[in-house]
Amino acid sequence: MQTLHVRLGERSYPIHIGAGLLGQPDLLLPHLQQKRVAVVTNTTVAPLYLDRLVALLQASGVAVTPIVLPDGEAYKNWETLNLIFDALLTQRAERKTTLIALGGGVIGDMTGFAAASYQRGVPFIQIPTTLLSQVDSSVGGKTGINHPLGKNMIGAFYQPKVVLADTDTLKTLPPRELSAGLAEVIKYGLIWDADFLTWLEANMDKLRALDPAAITHAIYRSCEIKAQVVGQDEREGGIRAILNLGHTFGHAIETGMGYGNWLHGEAVAAGMVMAAETSRRLGWLTEADVARTRALIRAAGLPDVAPDLGVDRYLEYMGHDKKVEGGKMRFVLLKKLGEAVITGDVPTDVLTGVLTAPH
Ligand code: NAD
Ligand code: GLY
């Protein structure tokens, strides 16, 4: 097991990464304020991992309320969130009852938001079971739900008490979901660490085969970079926005294509190519840099071409992005591979060029 820490003063917490962690309730027990938890999961993850977790917690004297939600990005909404509140109130969950998110980013984001708002805030723990949630969504405290007009538009910053990333859970993950997680791993190389990008190019086959050493290293380095960025800027006043490389384009793709049709990671992958292409048109990246980015994304089993939504629809959906300031869109682009920049200065013709029939 490897452990690293997100350093946020009194809201600091450990991230444990390794095989077999779900079988170690001792990693959770010190973080419970009372021997009572609600485990929030979904209909796909429950048959795989819920019973084991519940049995281990109960054997340690912890009372458990399981809450099983429908599965899918399309359910990341008010109605499903309310199912969590219904169960918590019916079971008379208290202020010190911990909510445990057992699942991917959808479950993590919704459970975190429920924890932030139930009785004005109860403790919560993340047990991410997808690669995407292990390298990104379970770390850093962004929680929330979607609105029909925009992704993740309703939510709160709310940090977990501990994150438990059990790499064994990735063995049941469909390959398409594994690839979606690799999009966020590639993101860290592009925005922060050119050496990591080179390592990813050399190890992509091992990662897709879930080689234990390679996958643990990729998760560790990704969380390390995220922890460093979030430690500097928890509430995204500035630098944290670089974690959204490809996301402004990506959210437009997700919204435009209907939630769940393009996976978040797939939309981010195609969005990162659009960001790289924008950076090339601004003279920062070379054609070879863009080709390298595309090749790595394809090697991860991800799309490197965005759907043609039409410029107007792209601009409409991108206008709902949380980075919009004073009505002006802001973009995360690349000064070079391994170095991100946040800018509002993208000339209209450059943007229109990238959005017109993406290829
Ligand atoms: P997801 O939660 O929908 O999980 C993907 C699919 O895999 C689901 O069908 C899920 O039930 C299933 N699954 C989960 N674990 C499994 C396992 N071990 N074996 C088999 N199947 C399993 O999607 P995701 O990619 O994990 O997360 C995407 C979500 O995360 C989006 O809503 C996105 O907005 C959000 N997100 C949030 C942040 C953040 O900082 N909070 C960052 C990135 C993404
Ligand atoms: N996924 C972007 C962030 O956590 O800031």
Side-chain angles (χ1 to χ4, degrees):
M1 181 178 91
Q2 297 198 37
T3 299
L4 59 92
H5 294 270
V6 181
R7 301 199 187 281
L8 292 168
E10 60 182 14
R11 291 183 308 291
S12 299
Y13 53 94
I15 305 169
H16 302 302
I17 303 158
L21 302 193
L22 259 181
Q24 298 182 40
D26 47 307
L27 294 173
L28 301 177
L29 296 175
H31 300 282
L32 303 185
Q33 293 177 14
Q34 68 177 184
K35 285 208 154 188
R36 195 168 167 201
V37 303
V39 179
V40 183
T41 187
N42 69 26
T43 48
T44 303
V45 178
L48 295 169
Y49 304 112
L50 180 62
D51 285 354
R52 205 163 121 233
L53 180 64
V54 170
L56 285 165
L57 286 167
Q58 285 174 340
S60 306
V62 179
V64 185
T65 300
I67 303 174
V68 181
L69 304 176
D71 181 14
E73 183 75 35
Y75 293 101
K76 189 174 163 184
N77 57 24
W78 275 117
E79 289 72 26
T80 316
L81 184 72
N82 243 331
L83 297 177
I84 305 180
F85 296 133
D86 290 347
L88 294 175
L89 285 161
T90 308
Q91 297 296 319
R92 298 179 191 276
E94 298 173 2
R95 271 235 166 97
K96 290 187 174 176
T97 304
T98 295
L99 298 199
I100 299 181
L102 174 69
V106 170
I107 286 294
D109 281 11
M110 276 198 296
T111 307
F113 189 33
S117 38
Y118 181 69
Q119 297 206 9
R120 301 197 184 86
V122 296
F124 103 107
I125 287 175
Q126 289 269 20
I127 306 186
T129 61
T130 62
L131 180 61
L132 185 139
S133 55
Q134 294 185 352
V135 298
D136 192 353
S137 63
S138 67
V139 174
K142 279 191 182 174
T143 72
I145 55 170
N146 299 328
H147 185 281
L149 289 178
K151 270 278 292 175
N152 295 330
M153 275 292 157
I154 320 290
F157 286 98
Y158 198 64
Q159 302 293 342
K161 298 291 179 200
V162 59
V163 180
L164 221 69
D166 183 341
T167 51
D168 279 346
T169 60
L170 302 179
K171 291 178 185 164
T172 55
L173 198 62
R176 190 176 163 203
E177 297 290 353
L178 188 74
S179 290
L182 288 169
E184 303 283 4
V185 176
I186 292 169
K187 174 189 79 180
Y188 293 112
L190 289 171
I191 60 169
W192 196 262
D193 185 347
D195 290 342
F196 186 45
L197 204 63
T198 306
W199 182 89
L200 287 172
E201 288 170 326
N203 288 278
M204 192 49 79
D205 290 346
K206 285 186 182 172
L207 291 172
R208 293 186 73 184
L210 289 181
D211 173 87
I215 201 78
T216 304
H217 175 69
I219 296 169
Y220 188 90
R221 184 63 189 133
S222 298
C223 288
E224 200 173 37
I225 293 171
K226 181 148 188 185
Q228 208 171 335
V229 173
V230 170
Q232 287 176 44
D233 178 22
E234 183 182 7
R235 298 177 70 88
E236 204 168 304
I239 190 174
R240 181 167 178 164
I242 67 169
L243 297 173
N244 292 319
L245 177 72
H247 285 58
T248 304
F249 297 111
H251 285 170
I253 295 170
E254 277 185 273
T255 309
M257 299 300 284
Y259 295 134
N261 290 318
W262 273 58
L263 299 181
H264 177 75
E266 292 170 341
V268 165
M272 289 194 300
V273 173
M274 292 170 109
E277 180 57 26
T278 310
S279 307
R280 184 191 69 77
R281 289 176 190 234
L282 291 172
W284 296 335
L285 293 192
T286 64
E287 275 187 23
D289 291 332
V290 178
R292 234 182 115 185
T293 305
R294 281 184 189 274
L296 186 57
I297 282 170
R298 277 199 306 268
L302 291 160
D304 67 332
V305 178
D308 186 5
L309 298 179
V311 175
D312 290 347
R313 279 178 75 209
Y314 263 113
L315 290 175
E316 187 200 332
Y317 292 131
M318 289 165 68
H320 286 294
D321 192 81
K322 290 189 286 305
K323 286 186 292 302
V324 170
E325 253 180 36
K328 195 165 186 269
M329 270 192 265
R330 287 159 71 242
F331 296 88
V332 183
L333 300 175
L334 296 170
K335 270 278 171 190
K336 57 183 185 186
L337 295 184
E339 188 184 323
V341 63
I342 303 162
T343 179
D345 295 326
V346 177
T348 310
D349 59 324
V350 170
L351 186 58
T352 317
V354 172
L355 297 178
T356 306
H359 57 277

